[in-house]
Amino acid sequence: MLLSAPTRVPSMPDPSAAPAIQMTGMNKWYGNFHVLKNINLTVHRGEKLVICGPSGSGKSTMIRCINRLEEHQQGQIAVEGVELSHDLKQIDVIRRDIGMVFQHFNLFPHLTILENLTLAPIWVRRMRRGQAEQTAMHYLERVKIPDQAHKYPGQLSGGQQQRVAIARALCMSPKIILFDEPTSALDPEMVKEVLDTMVALAEDGMTMLCVTHEMGFARQVADRVVFMDQGEIVEMNTPSEFFSHPRHQRSKLFLAQILN
Amino acid sequence: MLSDAKSRSIIIQCALGAAVAAFAALLVSTTFANLRARGIPIGFDFLTMPSRIVISEAILTYKSRDPYYWAIVTGLANTVFVSAVVIVFSSMLGLVVGITRLSSNPLAAGTCRVWVEVARNSPPIVLLIFLYSLWWKVLPPVGEALNLLPGVYASMRGFVVPAISMDAATPGLLVIALALALALAAAGWAAARRGWLPPLAAPAIVTVGVAGLWLADAKFSVDWPTFTGSNFKGGKQLTPELSTILIGLTIYTTGFVAEIVRGGVLSVGRGQWDAGHSLGLPRGKILRLIIIPQMLRVIVPPLNSQYINVVKNSTLAIAVGYPDFLAVMNTIISKSSHSIEGVFIILGVYLALNLSLSSAANWYNRRIAIVER
Amino acid sequence: MKAVSLPLPAEPMPGQIRFGAFRRSAKLLFGTPLNAALTLLFGVLLVATVPPMLRWLVIDAVLFNPNPSACRVATGACWSFIYAKSGQLLFGIYPLDERWRPAIVCLLILALLGWSVRPASWAPRLLALWVAALVLIFWLMGGGIGLTEVPTSSWGGLPVTLLLTVVAIGVAFPVGIVLALARRSTMPAIRIGAVVLIESVRGLPLLSILFVASIMMPLFLPEALLPDKFVRALVALTIFAAAYLAEVIRGGLQAIPKGQYEAAAALGLPFWRAQYLIILPQAIRVAIPALANTIIVMIKNTSLVLVVGLFDLISSGKAALADPDWPSPAAETFLFIGAIFFALSFSFARFADFLERRGPTAH
């Protein structure tokens, strides 16, 4: 159960190794609009971060900068010690180790579920077809929908599609997974199945950055909660501290709106 | 009774039907009266009589003592030939130009944009007449023909290309072998579209093809054109008229196909690009594996309209002097005075062509439709 | 693992964008191997074709010299032919001192078409405007009260092209509305009849419709009413335009939410009244971009009438080329005519775009 007395997922961050993600002085503009202001964030391996905040605060933009779906103009972002720059080849290499799950799933409608999952392993990691399909079926079983392998995305429900999207990201054996509001586009009865999948993922020790409004999930899984507003990180704390003793006025306002 | 919706609708439809029938009867009777007054016979039996009209060039063999129906078929073959060639080449070119237009290279994108805008804003007939006028201006006389490629010459008299002909001792075996090779190629292409190609596919296709040719004892002969003082002998000749309609119509249609392709690529949502990027796929692979397959499904209806337009624009051949179906029918009608029959044939043939293209497109559309609940 | 630190090229901050533009275009042209290859390919293509074209078009061209022999010796384009013959090219064999009349007619037609694609113009007074404009146009072209008479056989060139377009669209518009409504009718006989009519006409080449009209009209009508070439071409163009306009208007009708029909019915408005007052004005406003596109298509298609022997812009070009004094610069003439069509089509399209961007209800 997610909301009543959640059992905390044991956290296994490893501060001794190089940080999984390191953002220093990151700034981004859309034209003249300053969308991300002086972001400083370090994420260790195995850490689970939940990023929350009002809409327009730049949360999605920030995590999209990590796998270079958006470009930052100032500051540094380093993933596993490698700095993000304009080198396209290097960006592709970095992206292989980062998985992303989108709000609108973005499954490939013209391919079956199995083909959706095996596409990148075959063409990017150069796996043989048999091995790729084995991996794909393994992850489909982990997200609990192995029988849908030969259907097309249009034939699945929203919750099932999002679980397929998670499996698709996992097939590339990423070191970090980014979640961009994964349950916001789902009907309420399907939110639980996706959140359960994400909790199971967290229990396995995956580094996760999750932009979400699901506060129960944050309480259960997050090592840290990052609150953003108007492009800046306003507050960063453990979930228990953040929810019970928010320090800033804006955080208090946000929590009051969200938790009612 | 008049206020009851159902009976009112029936009355209106009957009244309208009666009015249309009366009008049609009036037209028909006036027409028959006029025809009789001018002594013009009515009937389709004239089709088997010798036509005595001249068709300046055709892909089928035609002589002026052939019957009328053969003249009609010859004209139709010309139209189908021109339409088919233009459709094939403009689709290939249009795909390239449309995708290039989306490139980040401003020189490439800009040049393609110019092509598209010129094609879309010019009347095709002006484009064709302009190209035709360039023919005598740009190309040299036959004696100094330009040698573009080995065996390909261009001059005021048109293009000359080498003619390839094939002779086989046992044509049946050859046909079977080629059919097998083609089937293998189609299967391989379908597999390649899904992202993988069996490792021995290409050698297998080539082996089957070559084996077939060897078994059937096929001999290829190339007829190279040779200049004989005043003209070219041998090879295949493409008159300026045919070349103009082919090249001009291809340039024109490519502009429209490019716009359709570009619209198709843009219609695939940004999320698909994002998903591809997030999996680490490079831009080229995303385009090939994810964007283009989805785009191909979206563009089938507008492409179908465009292909129908190609058939319709093929009638412009008359403006540059190439005898297409409409031009031949025009000559037939003026020669034989069988206007009504001729008009029915014209309308029937073009509607049939239109219907076949649309049916093929609808069939293809249904087959590749993205499966949904 | 030691951080591999690659220097991040300093991206321009807002305000520094001017200097970045040059660097950005260099990056776009040569940044990736694909872009470099494309730049090379297109660069070679352009360098091979553009300078000789420019040489012919501009540098070696003869511009204003009224002497025909200057064109014969020059290697460049013979624009002086266009300059000398511009009157004949644009207006055909219209009497020289009355040429101001077709000139005004051209401007009037363009203004009328431009006015008609404004969403704000769609009110019942537009109909009155069209009728008045057409009367004025025919008076100016043909003469009569106060102006010297000019028979239709002397009309030619650009005014004929535009006139055919505007009359065909004007007559076809009400027919198109009727066909569109018929196609959406619940009565099967009417709906099927409309579908058959619309789809058949749209599936036929315009030239074939022109031919059929030229051949059939003398047979359909009694001897006394023998229609001349102009009327026959007009009938064909009108039928063609009606089918296309029907589809455009049907698109607009489909875009109207069902609630509008229901509201009109709830108010007790009878069918035709509801169409006239509520449905059609909104439908047409929505369909204006497609309408502008149809106008452009009609302008381009009217160029086909040269095949059935009418004196439009292209025929006057061919007639001017027949002058034995000049060396028949066909390419220049048709380039000029093409440019006129291009200018008309392109500017009309941009104008319609501009109106659409301003918003459907902007006044």
Side-chain angles (χ1 to χ4, degrees):
Chain A
M1 286 315 299
L2 231 52
L3 287 175
S4 49
T7 48
R8 280 275 321 163
V9 169
S11 99
M12 301 173 273
D14 182 5
S16 59
I21 301 173
Q22 174 114 31
M23 287 194 241
T24 352
M26 208 254 286
N27 279 278
K28 180 173 168 62
W29 287 266
Y30 277 138
N32 282 333
F33 176 56
H34 199 170
V35 59
L36 289 172
K37 303 173 185 158
N38 201 26
I39 305 285
N40 290 292
L41 184 66
T42 308
V43 182
H44 297 283
R45 280 225 202 110
E47 224 187 323
K48 296 148 219 339
L49 235 66
V50 165
I51 304 164
C52 61
S55 60
S57 52
K59 335 185 275 289
S60 291
T61 314
M62 184 179 78
I63 66 166
R64 284 164 73 94
C65 284
I66 296 176
N67 68 350
R68 204 71 173 174
L69 286 180
E70 306 272 359
E71 275 184 30
H72 61 283
Q73 274 92 36
Q74 208 186 20
Q76 283 88 33
I77 302 181
V79 176
E80 299 264 318
V82 179
E83 191 168 326
L84 282 180
S85 69
H86 287 272
D87 185 344
L88 290 173
K89 278 234 183 70
Q90 193 203 45
I91 291 175
D92 281 339
V93 169
I94 289 175
R95 280 172 173 165
R96 283 180 213 166
D97 291 330
I98 307 179
M100 188 153 189
V101 176
F102 299 88
Q103 183 178 2
H104 295 285
F105 332 136
N106 289 339
L107 294 180
F108 306 132
H110 61 297
L111 302 173
T112 62
I113 301 300
L114 195 64
E115 286 165 350
N116 261 275
L117 265 59
T118 56
L119 182 81
I122 291 178
W123 288 96
V124 178
R125 292 219 188 274
R126 305 203 184 278
M127 260 193 224
R128 308 182 116 269
R129 186 168 194 78
Q131 191 189 356
E133 286 185 357
Q134 247 185 340
T135 318
M137 287 311 296
H138 166 76
Y139 284 113
L140 274 180
E141 273 154 21
R142 266 188 72 177
V143 297
K144 299 199 177 53
I145 38 175
D147 43 318
Q148 310 284 354
H150 297 286
K151 295 231 181 101
Y152 284 88
Q155 297 172 295
L156 269 57
S157 72
Q160 289 171 322
Q161 289 188 51
Q162 193 63 300
R163 286 187 278 156
V164 169
I166 296 176
R168 180 177 66 174
L170 287 171
C171 280
M172 289 292 283
S173 310
K175 304 204 176 80
I176 305 168
I177 298 195
L178 308 171
F179 290 87
D180 188 359
E181 308 220 26
T183 55
S184 301
L186 294 174
D187 290 333
E189 61 269 17
M190 296 194 250
V191 169
K192 179 179 183 320
E193 66 193 52
V194 174
L195 286 178
D196 285 346
T197 314
M198 289 164 64
V199 168
L201 208 59
E203 283 169 357
D204 286 339
M206 175 69 72
T207 315
M208 290 163 62
L209 269 83
C210 194
V211 174
T212 185
H213 296 294
E214 297 287 332
M215 293 302 127
F217 174 78
R219 258 194 267 256
Q220 190 181 5
V221 157
D223 295 317
R224 271 188 289 166
V225 173
V226 175
F227 173 68
M228 284 183 71
D229 189 18
Q230 293 180 22
E232 342 173 72
I233 296 182
V234 173
E235 193 171 328
M236 199 160 30
N237 218 331
T238 63
S240 47
E241 272 303 305
F242 178 72
F243 288 121
S244 47
H245 303 117
R247 273 183 253 143
H248 291 250
Q249 190 58 29
R250 287 190 268 174
S251 335
K252 291 187 194 154
L253 198 62
F254 175 72
L255 281 173
Q257 289 169 329
I258 271 275
L259 293 176
N260 278 352
Chain B
M1 194 176 74
L2 276 169
S3 46
D4 176 25
K6 189 152 184 194
S7 36
R8 208 170 66 138
S9 120
I10 295 179
I11 291 179
I12 292 181
Q13 290 179 80
C14 291
L16 217 63
V20 168
F23 184 65
L26 183 66
L27 276 180
V28 169
S29 63
T30 322
T31 311
F32 273 109
N34 279 330
L35 286 173
R36 236 172 293 136
R38 292 168 213 199
I40 298 172
I42 301 171
F44 282 98
D45 38 301
F46 75 101
L47 289 173
T48 45
M49 296 197 288
S51 64
R52 305 240 173 78
I53 62 175
V54 175
I55 298 182
S56 54
E57 56 177 305
I59 57 169
L60 300 176
T61 42
Y62 168 84
K63 298 189 194 26
S64 51
R65 59 171 182 277
D66 285 333
Y68 276 111
Y69 75 82
W70 188 245
I72 295 179
V73 170
T74 308
L76 184 59
N78 280 353
T79 290
V80 170
F81 171 66
V82 168
S83 308
V85 170
V86 170
I87 286 178
V88 166
F89 280 99
S90 66
S91 303
M92 298 194 297
L93 265 179
L95 191 67
V96 170
V97 173
I99 293 189
T100 310
R101 234 196 106 167
L102 294 163
S103 146
S104 49
N105 185 324
L107 203 61
T111 316
C112 291
R113 169 121 198 247
V114 167
W115 185 337
V116 169
E117 289 294 336
V118 167
R120 290 178 73 198
N121 286 297
S122 322
I125 196 172
V126 175
L127 196 65
L128 288 171
I129 298 183
F130 171 66
L131 272 178
Y132 196 54
S133 70
L134 277 186
W135 204 264
W136 281 271
K137 190 177 222 54
V138 168
L139 290 174
V142 173
E144 307 144 29
L146 293 171
N147 195 339
L148 297 169
L149 295 167
V152 179
Y153 296 92
S155 73
M156 277 192 214
R157 295 251 186 102
F159 286 105
V160 182
V161 296
I164 303 177
S165 58
M166 191 167 61
D167 258 318
T170 43
L173 212 65
L174 179 65
V175 169
I176 294 175
L178 284 178
L180 252 175
L182 220 69
L184 274 177
W189 184 67
R193 265 199 321 141
R194 281 163 134 43
W196 61 279
L197 199 62
L200 292 174
I205 295 170
V206 172
T207 318
V208 170
V210 169
L213 290 170
W214 179 75
L215 283 172
D217 204 17
K219 278 180 258 297
F220 281 99
S221 55
V222 181
D223 195 5
W224 294 99
T226 45
F227 188 61
T228 60
S230 61
N231 203 354
F232 278 95
K233 213 166 79 86
K236 197 150 170 64
Q237 311 239 3
L238 296 167
T239 58
E241 289 77 22
L242 181 59
S243 312
T244 306
I245 185 88
L246 285 178
I247 296 177
L249 211 53
T250 304
I251 293 178
Y252 180 72
T253 312
T254 300
F256 287 86
V257 174
E259 268 309 274
I260 292 175
V261 165
R262 187 178 83 107
V265 173
L266 289 177
S267 77
V268 178
R270 167 112 194 252
Q272 295 292 302
W273 286 95
D274 282 348
H277 280 310
S278 73
L279 287 167
L281 286 162
R283 260 197 101 200
K285 290 255 164 39
I286 298 180
L287 200 63
R288 183 156 75 91
L289 296 172
I290 297 168
I291 306 296
I292 290 187
Q294 293 186 58
M295 171 203 82
L296 285 175
R297 287 157 167 86
V298 170
I299 63 175
V300 171
L303 264 189
N304 173 41
S305 308
Q306 207 47 243
Y307 291 163
I308 294 177
N309 277 345
V310 169
V311 172
K312 297 201 287 182
N313 284 331
S314 69
T315 54
L316 295 174
I318 199 176
V320 293
Y322 183 72
D324 76 316
F325 173 71
L326 193 62
V328 168
M329 285 307 298
N330 193 33
T331 318
I332 290 179
I333 289 179
S334 33
K335 189 95 190 240
S336 72
S337 307
H338 284 258
S339 328
I340 308 285
E341 298 86 338
V343 162
F344 273 109
I345 296 177
I346 292 177
L347 297 179
V349 163
Y350 278 114
L351 287 176
L353 283 172
N354 185 346
L355 208 65
S356 345
L357 274 174
S358 294
S359 311
N362 282 336
W363 169 82
Y364 186 66
N365 212 6
R366 255 173 296 141
R367 234 185 52 123
I368 60 164
I370 289 185
V371 182
E372 281 180 15
R373 248 208 279 241
Chain C
M1 189 162 63
K2 197 159 156 265
V4 176
S5 166
L6 294 158
L8 201 68
E11 271 288 357
M13 307 259 278
Q16 269 191 8
I17 298 183
R18 269 172 291 138
F19 296 101
F22 182 69
R23 223 178 320 155
R24 249 182 290 133
S25 19
K27 203 158 37 125
L28 282 174
L29 283 172
F30 297 104
T32 65
L34 177 66
N35 271 347
L38 279 176
T39 307
L40 204 68
L41 178 68
F42 279 88
V44 164
L45 225 76
L46 288 174
V47 162
T49 53
V50 172
M53 261 181 18
L54 274 179
R55 239 203 324 267
W56 179 76
L57 270 175
V58 183
I59 302 174
D60 289 338
V62 182
L63 279 177
F64 295 117
N65 195 332
N67 195 339
S69 44
C71 267
R72 270 184 246 269
V73 293
T75 51
C78 186
W79 296 120
S80 49
F81 174 75
I82 310 284
Y83 182 69
K85 295 266 184 191
S86 55
Q88 186 184 2
L89 282 171
L90 286 174
F91 303 117
I93 52 176
Y94 209 84
L96 272 134
D97 34 333
E98 304 285 337
R99 283 207 178 137
W100 57 274
R101 286 157 55 182
I104 294 184
V105 162
C106 291
L107 292 171
L108 209 61
I109 292 178
L110 289 173
L112 183 68
L113 288 172
W115 185 258
S116 304
V117 288
R118 283 179 68 238
S121 318
W122 278 95
R125 63 167 183 267
L126 189 66
L127 181 65
L129 196 69
W130 267 72
V131 172
L134 281 172
V135 166
L136 188 64
I137 286 167
F138 274 103
W139 173 62
L140 277 170
M141 283 295 287
I145 317 161
L147 293 171
T148 42
E149 291 210 13
V150 179
T152 54
S153 47
S154 303
W155 297 4
L158 187 60
V160 168
T161 299
L162 290 175
L163 195 64
L164 285 169
T165 308
V166 97
V167 174
I169 291 183
V171 175
F173 202 80
V175 177
I177 292 180
V178 169
L179 278 173
L181 289 171
R183 191 165 172 170
R184 285 169 56 86
S185 163
T186 45
M187 295 186 254
I190 296 184
R191 188 176 63 244
I192 294 177
V195 167
V196 166
L197 222 63
I198 295 176
E199 291 301 326
S200 315
V201 173
R202 274 164 52 98
L204 290 168
L206 176 58
L207 257 182
S208 65
I209 302 179
L210 277 166
F211 274 8
V212 167
S214 305
I215 294 168
M216 297 300 277
M217 280 192 74
L219 295 176
F220 279 160
L221 300 170
E223 293 271 351
L225 289 174
L226 194 69
D228 72 345
K229 282 191 295 189
F230 204 82
V231 172
R232 282 184 259 179
L234 213 52
V235 166
L237 286 169
T238 307
I239 294 175
F240 187 74
Y244 277 82
L245 284 173
E247 284 301 283
V248 165
I249 295 170
R250 185 172 79 107
L253 287 171
Q254 274 178 325
I256 306 293
K258 196 142 181 263
Q260 295 290 308
Y261 293 93
E262 292 169 350
L267 286 168
L269 284 169
F271 177 76
W272 287 105
R273 196 45 66 87
Q275 295 295 327
Y276 180 70
L277 288 174
I278 298 171
I279 305 297
L280 280 174
Q282 295 187 56
I284 294 175
R285 211 161 289 190
V286 166
I288 281 185
L291 216 65
N293 197 37
T294 310
I295 292 179
I296 295 176
V297 166
M298 285 307 295
I299 293 180
K300 294 202 295 178
N301 276 323
T302 323
S303 52
L304 261 61
V305 297
L306 92 103
V307 181
V308 288
L310 276 182
F311 263 100
D312 75 320
L313 191 54
I314 306 180
S315 317
S316 39
K318 286 191 158 179
L321 283 171
D323 188 339
D325 291 334
W326 292 84
S328 279
E332 293 87 326
T333 310
F334 294 118
L335 201 60
F336 174 66
I337 292 177
I340 294 181
F341 275 108
F342 185 88
L344 282 174
S345 168
F346 194 76
S347 27
F348 205 79
R350 291 296 145 263
F351 179 62
D353 267 348
F354 162 72
L355 287 177
E356 190 180 352
R357 257 178 292 132
R358 265 196 344 170
T361 49
H363 276 257

